[in-house]
Amino acid sequence: MSAVLEQAIADQLPSVSATQLVAGIQKVGRAVAAHGAVLITKHDQPAYVLMSVERYRELQRAAEPDLGALGGEFDAMLARMQGQGDALAGAFAMAPEAVGAAAVKAARPRKAVRKAA
């Protein structure tokens, strides 16, 4: 590269020495190690997060669904719904006036229980 071109590039771009770059990376790396992640801003707005590999793996594991747990939740919900069959059949067998009275009773606000001070 010609000396003129090198000078033109140097005049247009900010410069950072290799020593400053290494020191800066090391400082950021220490902050990541201490805090698990570092927020990198661009124009004073959050732009990126630099994090440790372990933190990244934790986030990946947290994002993956635990199919065993989801299956258990589904089975429990299904059992609860199937257990409501008798109550639902009873509701359909009720006279309209009884259904209305039950709805009004259920809609009433419950009185707050006062605790002794």
Side-chain angles (χ1 to χ4, degrees), residues 2-12:
S2 74
V4 174
L5 182 57
E6 287 180 11
Q7 188 58 45
I9 291 172
D11 290 342
Q12 294 175 1

Side-chain angles (χ1 to χ4, degrees), residues 34-65:
H35 302 285
V38 171
L39 178 65
I40 299 171
T41 61
K42 187 174 184 178
H43 304 292
D44 295 324
Q45 296 297 316
Y48 308 98
V49 174
L50 180 65
M51 67 183 73
S52 67
V53 171
E54 183 54 38
R55 180 70 178 128
Y56 176 77
R57 288 180 182 144
E58 289 172 7
L59 292 173
Q60 289 296 102
R61 283 191 297 268
E64 293 174 1

Side-chain angles (χ1 to χ4, degrees), residues 4 7 19 24 47 66 69 94 114:
V4 174
Q7 188 58 45
T19 303
D66 180 353
M94 293 172 71
R114 292 186 182 175

